[in-house]
């Protein structure tokens, strides 16, 4: 069965199961006892939802014993459950975002004309901003919203009556303009970087909005202006970093741009939050990868290896949304370690950082990594042992393992195995949805 509700529940932790069970029974969100029975019947198949006993007919019988099965009824249950699951996800997402919560509350106060509570809320949120990092993803847009509401609050509650009030309104309008500009500059530089990266591999329309915007606006000059106008040191550091980033990826022929960016980043790490550190080290890694197949390839392979080592030690692979090492990053680090023949380091890397992978991917990546490791060490029997333990549920791992298994069979002289693999490989390339063209 393929229903949105099942896909969402598959993502649940055991804590999610416990909390959603209570959430579903709240009359504010759900008044249907049958939907509770439907969910309880469905959740018994958690976490895989793969069983011959999981059928629409069986679910129907659990909810409405003795009644005739109607597909439309089951579809409605799944639809209603998916809607409540989405409400639960919204609650989970917002519960740790206190500034955003207060923004919604302030909006409701305005709607209900509870203006004095708007003022109290503004004071409270200003205190919250004292404990938040300027480089958090939503900082500038949240600051813009707060200042915008502060401006509206004064218009409503304290109308313009003297020069002092007018001056205050002018200051708020100026601050509002600043923060939306800060948000705009940072996000546009990020977008431009991503589009230029895509252009190296794919055909991108030259009339693309972002490309056109960067032709019309001098973003280096704009960023310089933002830096010069920044009274806050952390703002200045952040936009200096983005200026150096802009120079780096628009001037890749000059490696000094890279080294300037890297030096400034390392010098100012203490002023940056988790997400900005992860973002900027991602850009450094990307630059080094771009240097592959150039005359500086060997130099930048070593440079990239040192960067990997640094971010692993410091934990800069983490973000506020994701605490694990991404599978793609783990694979890339593994491959570079083996390519550079740093076998002892790679062995220790697998052992030490396998626990930092997502829990449901750890065993698989452990087997995949040692399959690769032993292949590169020429220990083909050990490599095959680990190859056979890998669950091919990740596209890049499928490609990698089929390639290395084929080479391993060749090295061991296992001709029949190699021919069989070649045949299955041909079918895989023809049938895989990622590769095949309809």
């Amino acid at each position: 069965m393929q229903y949105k509700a099942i896909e969402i529940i598959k993502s649940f932790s055991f804590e999610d199961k416990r909390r959603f069970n209570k959430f579903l029974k709240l009359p504010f969100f759900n008044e249907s006892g049958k939907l509770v029975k439907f969910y309880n019947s469905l959740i018994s198949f958690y976490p895989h939802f793969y069983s011959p006993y999981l059928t629409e007919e069986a679910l129907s019988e659990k909810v409405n014993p003795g009644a005739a099965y109607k597909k439309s009824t089951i579809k409605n249950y799944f639809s209603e459950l998916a809607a409540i699951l989405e409400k639960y996800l919204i609650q989970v997402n917002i519960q740790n975002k206190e500034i955003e919560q207060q923004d919604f509350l302030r909006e409701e106060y305005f709607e209900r004309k509870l203006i004095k509570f708007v003022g109290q809320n503004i004071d409270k949120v200003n205190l919250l901003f004292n404990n938040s990092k300027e480089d958090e993803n939503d900082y500038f847009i949240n600051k813009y919203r707060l200042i915008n509401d502060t401006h509206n609050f004064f218009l409503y509650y304290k109308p313009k009556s003297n020069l002092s009030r007018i001056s205050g309104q002018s200051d708020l309008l100026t601050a509002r303009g600043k923060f939306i500009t800060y948000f705009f500059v940072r996000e546009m530089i990020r977008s431009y970087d991503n589009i230029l990266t895509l252009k190296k591999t794919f055909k991108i329309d030259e009339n693309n909005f972002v490309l056109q915007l960067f032709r019309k606006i001098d973003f280096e000059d704009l960023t310089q202006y933002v830096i010069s106008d920044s009274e806050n040191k952390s703002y200045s550091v952040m936009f200096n970093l983005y200026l150096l980033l802009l120079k780096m990826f628009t001037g890749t022929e000059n490696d000094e741009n890279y080294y300037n960016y890297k030096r400034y980043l390392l010098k100012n790490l203490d002023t940056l939050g988790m997400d900005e550190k992860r973002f900027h080290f991602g850009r450094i890694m990307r630059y080094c990868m771009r240097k592959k197949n150039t005359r500086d390839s060997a130099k930048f392979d070593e440079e990239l290896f040192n960067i990997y080592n640094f971010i692993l030690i410091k934990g800069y692979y983490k973000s506020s949304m994701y605490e694990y090492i991404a599978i793609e990053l783990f694979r890339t680090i593994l491959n570079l370690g083996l390519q550079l023949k740093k076998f002892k380091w790679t062995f220790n890397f697998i052992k030490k950082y396998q626990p930092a992978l997502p829990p449901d991917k750890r065993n698989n990546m452990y087997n995949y990594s040692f399959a690769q490791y032993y292949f590169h060490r020429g220990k083909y029997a050990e490599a095959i042992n680990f190859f056979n333990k890998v669950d091919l549920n990740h596209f890049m791992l499928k490609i990698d393992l089929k390639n290395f298994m084929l080479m391993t069979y060749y090295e061991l002289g296992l001709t029949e195995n190699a021919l069989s693999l070649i045949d299955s490989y041909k079918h895989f390339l023809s049938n895989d949805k990622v590769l095949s063209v309809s």
Side-chain angles (χ1 to χ4, degrees):
M1 287 187 291
Q2 292 190 344
Y3 286 101
K4 181 191 286 187
I6 292 178
E7 294 304 309
I8 293 174
I9 297 171
K10 280 182 180 179
S11 75
F12 272 17
S13 65
F14 287 104
E15 179 62 14
D16 281 319
K17 274 183 63 184
R18 185 187 68 80
R19 290 190 297 182
F20 183 72
N21 187 51
K22 293 181 178 180
F23 186 88
L24 184 60
K25 295 172 183 176
L26 294 172
F28 184 81
F29 294 104
N30 172 48
E31 295 181 348
S32 170
K34 288 190 174 182
L35 194 61
V36 174
K37 287 179 68 176
F38 179 77
Y39 170 74
N40 288 337
S41 301
L42 188 62
I43 199 66
S44 64
F45 297 97
Y46 174 88
H48 301 299
F49 295 89
Y50 180 76
S51 167
Y53 302 105
L54 177 56
T55 65
E56 293 181 1
E57 290 82 358
L59 291 171
S60 175
E61 179 63 24
K62 287 279 189 181
V63 180
N64 299 301
Y69 160 71
K70 290 184 179 179
K71 186 174 182 65
S72 60
T73 301
I74 292 298
K75 286 182 70 175
N76 285 339
Y77 283 144
F78 270 115
S79 179
E80 290 172 20
L81 181 59
I84 296 175
L85 283 162
E86 288 177 337
K87 289 177 182 177
Y88 169 74
L89 295 181
I90 291 169
Q91 294 297 319
V92 169
N93 185 269
I94 199 69
Q95 69 180 358
N96 294 320
K97 298 180 178 179
E98 193 167 3
I99 288 176
E100 285 85 346
Q101 290 177 34
Q102 296 301 321
D103 184 40
F104 293 138
L105 177 58
R106 204 164 55 248
E107 184 178 357
E108 198 63 28
Y109 282 152
F110 270 121
E111 289 287 331
R112 296 170 185 268
K113 305 294 189 292
L114 298 171
I115 304 303
K116 68 176 182 179
F117 296 138
V118 172
Q120 293 171 8
N121 180 280
I122 288 169
D123 292 338
K124 179 178 181 178
V125 176
N126 274 314
L127 290 175
L128 290 176
F129 270 107
N130 292 336
N131 297 318
S132 62
K133 274 276 189 184
E134 292 88 346
D135 61 357
E136 291 172 354
N137 285 336
D138 295 326
Y139 179 89
F140 291 132
I141 199 69
N142 285 335
K143 195 80 172 174
Y144 163 80
R145 288 176 183 141
L146 177 64
I147 293 170
N148 189 56
D149 283 349
T150 304
H151 173 253
N152 291 334
F153 167 73
F154 278 108
L155 283 179
Y156 191 105
Y157 200 60
K158 298 179 180 180
K160 297 187 285 288
S161 57
N162 56 47
L163 288 175
S164 175
R165 292 272 169 81
I166 292 170
S167 177
Q169 291 292 306
S170 174
D171 290 343
L172 285 170
L173 289 169
T174 300
R176 185 175 69 173
K178 277 188 179 183
F179 282 104
I180 200 64
T181 302
Y182 293 164
F183 178 80
F184 169 75
V185 169
R186 185 173 71 170
E187 294 306 313
M188 289 309 302
I189 290 176
R190 286 186 173 205
S191 296
Y192 189 50
D193 172 32
N194 286 325
I195 287 174
L196 289 184
T197 299
L198 286 173
K199 275 190 70 178
K200 291 189 173 296
T201 307
F202 305 101
K203 183 175 176 59
I204 302 294
D205 186 354
E206 288 300 322
N207 292 320
N208 175 284
F209 176 82
V210 174
L211 295 178
Q212 289 280 39
L213 194 64
F214 270 77
R215 293 185 188 111
K216 294 178 181 298
I217 298 175
D218 186 338
F219 270 82
E220 283 196 24
D221 186 57
L222 178 56
T223 309
Q224 285 281 18
Y225 175 70
V226 167
I227 294 166
S228 66
D229 193 63
S230 297
E231 298 173 1
N232 185 313
K233 182 188 174 185
S234 58
Y235 295 172
S236 177
V237 168
M238 182 193 307
F239 287 108
N240 264 307
L241 257 180
Y242 277 92
L243 180 60
L244 291 168
L245 171 62
L246 182 59
K247 289 179 177 179
M248 181 183 76
F249 65 67
T250 55
T252 53
E253 71 286 346
N254 184 358
D255 291 337
E256 191 57 31
N257 290 326
Y258 164 79
Y259 291 111
N260 287 338
Y261 175 55
K262 177 187 165 187
R263 278 193 293 268
Y264 193 82
L265 173 60
L266 293 174
K267 180 182 175 182
N268 291 283
L269 285 174
D270 289 344
T271 69
L272 301 176
M274 179 186 295
D275 291 339
E276 282 293 304
K277 287 174 184 175
R278 185 176 186 271
F279 170 80
H280 288 290
F281 276 104
R283 269 33 188 191
I284 280 179
M285 289 186 286
R286 181 185 288 178
Y287 185 91
C288 293
M289 290 175 181
R290 284 182 182 177
K291 289 294 179 175
K292 281 195 173 294
N293 302 319
T294 70
R295 58 185 176 83
D296 294 321
S297 178
K299 178 177 74 173
F300 276 96
D301 279 344
E302 196 66 36
E303 173 77 5
L304 183 58
F305 176 80
N306 291 332
I307 293 296
Y308 284 153
N309 209 23
F310 184 75
I311 66 169
L312 287 169
I313 292 169
K314 297 292 187 180
Y316 292 159
Y317 54 82
K318 299 177 183 177
S319 74
S320 59
M321 300 293 290
Y322 197 71
E323 62 180 301
Y324 304 111
I325 299 178
I327 295 298
E328 292 78 8
L329 177 60
F330 193 94
R331 170 183 170 272
T332 305
I333 295 173
L334 171 76
N335 288 343
L336 184 61
L338 294 172
Q339 175 194 323
L340 298 178
K341 302 189 185 304
K342 296 180 184 288
F343 296 123
K344 182 178 180 181
W345 182 93
T346 304
F347 183 92
N348 291 332
F349 160 72
I350 298 169
K351 289 282 189 180
K352 183 174 181 180
Y353 291 101
Q354 183 246 10
L357 287 163
D360 61 330
K361 303 290 194 302
R362 287 172 190 165
N363 289 338
N364 207 38
M365 282 304 294
Y366 182 86
N367 293 323
Y368 167 83
S369 299
F370 274 114
Q372 293 273 39
Y373 172 81
Y374 284 116
F375 173 83
H376 281 84
R377 296 300 306 269
K379 298 181 178 181
Y380 302 117
E382 289 95 329
I384 286 180
N385 181 43
F386 281 102
F387 281 145
N388 291 331
K389 295 178 181 178
V390 178
D391 178 16
L392 298 179
N393 60 359
H394 188 287
F395 175 72
M396 287 310 301
L397 302 194
K398 291 179 187 179
I399 296 292
D400 288 348
L401 284 177
K402 289 182 184 296
N403 289 339
F404 281 103
M405 285 181 74
L406 190 58
M407 289 187 279
T408 301
Y409 290 150
Y410 173 81
E411 294 290 346
L412 293 174
L414 300 173
T415 307
E416 291 299 320
N417 299 68
L419 291 173
S420 175
L421 179 58
I422 289 170
D423 184 62
S424 68
Y425 205 165
K426 284 163 60 179
H427 285 90
F428 163 72
L429 293 174
S430 299
N431 299 327
D432 194 280
K433 292 179 181 179
V434 177
L435 291 174
S436 60
V437 179
S438 57

